[in-house]
Amino acid sequence: MAKPGRAPQVPRSEPSEPQWLPADFWQLSPAESMRLWIDQSRSAAHRAKFDLVLEPTEAALTPLRLSLDDSPSQCYSTGSRHYYVSFADGDAYFASGQVRTPGGARLYDAVFSPTKYELTFATLDASMAQAVSARIGSLPQIQVEYRQDYERPKRSSMSSAWSSADGRGYLQLWATAAPDMPIVWSGTLWNWGVELAKRINFKIDQEVRLNYANSLLTRVLPQHVDLSSAETDEAIEATVLAILNRYVADASAMSQPVVQIAVEVAGERGVAVARSQIESILSDAALPASDTSALLAEKESLQQAIWAIAPKLKDYGVRYGQSTSHIPEAQVLIEQRALLLAQLKAIEVSVEDQERFSFRQSLQGALLKLELAEDVDALKTWVLEERYGARWALRRLHAHYPAAYAEVLESSLQRGDHQEPGEVLNRIYIADRARGVRLAQQWIDTTDEDALFVDCFQILQRADAMPDESAQVARLIRLIRADYTNNYLRARALNLLVPQKEPMRYTDLSVDAALLYVIDPKANGFPDPGYNYTNASINLIERDAARYYPLVMRHVDLVKMPHQKEHFLVQLASYAEELRPEDRQACFDWVRKELRFTQSNVNSLLWIVWRNDWRILTPELRAMATESVGEEESEDAVYGNTETRAISGRFHLARQILALWSEPDPMTCAKLYIAFAYQHGFQISTNGEGRSAAPLRATFLPALARLDAAERAELVDYSSWCQQQAALSSVKKERITQLHANFVHMILER
């Protein structure tokens, strides 16, 4: 059961089975073990109507080998999973390959949203192979029968379940009875987390068999055999060779989809030792019809044209599937899309030809990748021509030739290849800041595309390299106020007009006027005035909380959903320290009420209490505090709700705040504050600035003032120790280092 390229696994004497398998699953007869497994998935209603029986007239199969093709849900990514299992005596093995590309990924996304591969090969010992084979082969014997005491209805009320995460499966099984003719089980591959009891209905058909065979291979077998994907270069090379060598020796010893993924992995990861096997497979690979390449290219061109229309229709507010629009320009686009869809539908390419073309394309592409991996000019040409494998070529440039990567992105951008040039510009800026700034400065004054202008503004603001800043800010304000600006673009513009870390970067009063315009529905007449209301309101509060809080609250009913409104009010309450006394009291009263009944997550309310140092709420916090770190915390700490509910759980944050408020010993209090800061990071002030400064002044600094020089030196050592411990579990090393520097400065200078 060892994998090629891996150290042998230490066998487990008693492998732990998934809790959902019947007891004694491996000790029972194959048919009975599978019958009990299916039986426990049935609902009580199903058991009342049906018996699950073993049909003696149905002979069990003896599988020699099988292949399983899984096309998962394409909601979030495109791809497929493929499995091949041999049960042959003396040469039993499991192979699988998976390829997955994030949904909607474009060429320039190749670096940040890459196509991912998984490849596995593992040998199986004879007893495990026989046990799995027999259980899959017994599935046709399991049948559903109406109970004798049940009166069969004329119409059934049995329900069924489905999930958007369901996929499609196609299993081919070669058995001793007909070794050259596969038995096929196909249908929906279930998401096992959704209403499994409703998946079993009136018969154990091929879909049920497909799903239990799939689960046995992908959920049960990994409990006994290491089926993890090869990761290291050595393991990948060994796995690729194990799969390709078997296929070269005997094409029936491995499924073509698994071989295709192994070939693509060889090209992607530079497995040069597999070149001869790939060439051999290519020489024997069947040819598709002569016009297949041209037809598929035409289909791809039409599909790209259809996708190009989609964002334009979205800007006009046209929904998916909408066939008419009162906007003339939108109606023209709808008709263009309908024509393109009709042309696309008219192109017919057989499944067999598509599979042959795809297989040969993978083989030829892998050979090219092995040949041209170090040829920078060839890689650049490959990307610019957008040939098959261009995503790999772009990743290769990014990883090994960053200057060429930025250059090729700029070349494609200057040619106008991209529908979203701002996205590509951002990729260039990340790779080569000087080049990105130069391009942004070049285009910000010349582009008439609002989205590209916002992208240029963002880059130049981040680089502090804005030409004629006042003019660019004025254009940004015009964009925010325009009624034709879509909500998403307006939200981005608002975030640039009032940067979170520097809300007063632009001091001109026209900034405030634009924000006030956005939050006033009578003034702006926007079709969806509530969409940007919360963003603009927080921007105003960040600029001048005392002045603008009453104006913001005047339009708070623009937030229609109750839980969204509550979340927004929590955000506003975090600025309570900066408000006028009457508004601050209103915030305090609201928070006190929320600490009894709320829709919000409780920690967000506790942080408001902490930031404002509202010690008068000690009784409320004491009622909800955990007793110790070992006590289980309520999930309401971090999860809100769409409905108001009474707070009844216990919370660690309440206990920690109370400990800081009540600690009389100055050294202990100071250490508690330091530990608290390292645990919660940005919520805690360590430099006397920001909205969390009140507890620093009320808790840490008074304790620090009571310590002598020796005690302060001990406190510096304690902060250093906390820094070391925090660095072990956090990736935010810069933040941790800054925390320690701030504490050292306060301890030694104040």
Side-chain angles (χ1 to χ4, degrees), residues 392-577:
W392 167 82
L394 189 62
R395 288 198 303 276
R396 182 79 184 168
L397 289 172
H398 178 266
H400 300 282
Y401 312 102
Y405 166 79
E407 179 186 340
V408 77
L409 282 182
E410 180 180 353
S411 297
S412 68
L413 198 57
Q414 298 285 17
R415 288 192 327 190
D417 289 349
H418 304 282
Q419 298 170 24
E420 299 176 343
E423 293 284 347
V424 185
L425 182 59
N426 273 294
R427 301 291 191 271
I428 294 172
Y429 176 74
I430 293 170
D432 184 341
R433 293 199 169 195
R435 187 189 298 266
V437 167
R438 171 176 58 78
L439 291 172
Q441 289 175 332
Q442 170 186 328
W443 288 335
I444 194 167
D445 285 324
T446 58
T447 182
D448 56 0
E449 295 183 22
D450 292 333
L452 181 56
F453 164 75
V454 169
D455 286 310
C456 292
F457 192 104
Q458 183 178 29
I459 287 171
L460 296 174
Q461 184 185 78
R462 192 184 310 163
D464 201 18
M466 189 81 69
D468 194 3
E469 189 167 69
S470 60
Q472 310 305 345
V473 171
R475 179 176 175 182
L476 193 69
I477 289 174
R478 290 196 298 274
L479 182 65
I480 288 169
R481 296 176 70 108
D483 57 5
Y484 60 78
T485 303
N486 68 60
N487 284 325
Y488 171 72
L489 190 60
R490 183 179 289 111
R492 289 189 61 203
L494 287 168
N495 290 335
L496 294 173
L497 189 62
V498 185
Q500 185 177 15
K501 294 183 178 179
E502 197 180 358
M504 292 303 296
R505 177 168 183 151
Y506 308 119
T507 58
D508 194 294
L509 289 178
S510 61
V511 173
D512 294 44
L515 297 172
L516 289 168
Y517 181 79
V518 171
I519 72 169
D520 187 352
K522 292 183 179 178
N524 58 50
F526 294 157
D528 185 8
Y531 186 91
N532 292 121
Y533 162 78
T534 53
N535 276 354
S537 296
I538 295 299
N539 291 155
L540 282 166
I541 297 297
E542 285 176 334
R543 288 174 68 82
D544 191 339
R547 179 180 180 185
Y548 292 123
Y549 180 82
L551 293 173
V552 166
M553 293 302 294
R554 186 179 301 168
H555 304 294
V556 72
D557 286 337
L558 286 174
V559 187
K560 301 297 184 184
M561 300 296 290
H563 64 284
Q564 292 176 351
K565 181 182 291 186
E566 180 141 346
H567 175 70
F568 175 58
L569 292 173
V570 168
Q571 288 182 285
L572 292 182
S574 66
Y575 295 84
E577 185 185 12

Side-chain angles (χ1 to χ4, degrees), residues 295-358:
L295 290 174
L296 291 176
E298 186 179 355
K299 286 185 70 173
E300 177 65 19
S301 176
L302 289 169
Q303 188 64 69
Q304 292 293 336
I306 292 167
W307 286 340
I309 291 174
K312 299 176 183 178
L313 289 174
K314 184 178 179 181
D315 288 342
Y316 286 117
V318 176
R319 298 179 179 178
Y320 179 78
Q322 187 174 329
S323 58
T324 59
S325 173
H326 66 280
I327 303 172
E329 295 84 356
Q331 184 61 36
V332 170
L333 291 171
I334 289 172
E335 292 170 2
Q336 288 177 355
R337 181 179 63 181
L339 178 61
L340 291 170
L341 285 169
Q343 293 173 344
L344 182 64
K345 187 176 180 179
I347 299 175
E348 295 184 359
V349 183
S350 72
V351 173
E352 183 180 53
D353 280 333
Q354 289 185 62
E355 290 178 348
R356 289 177 174 180
F357 178 84
S358 175

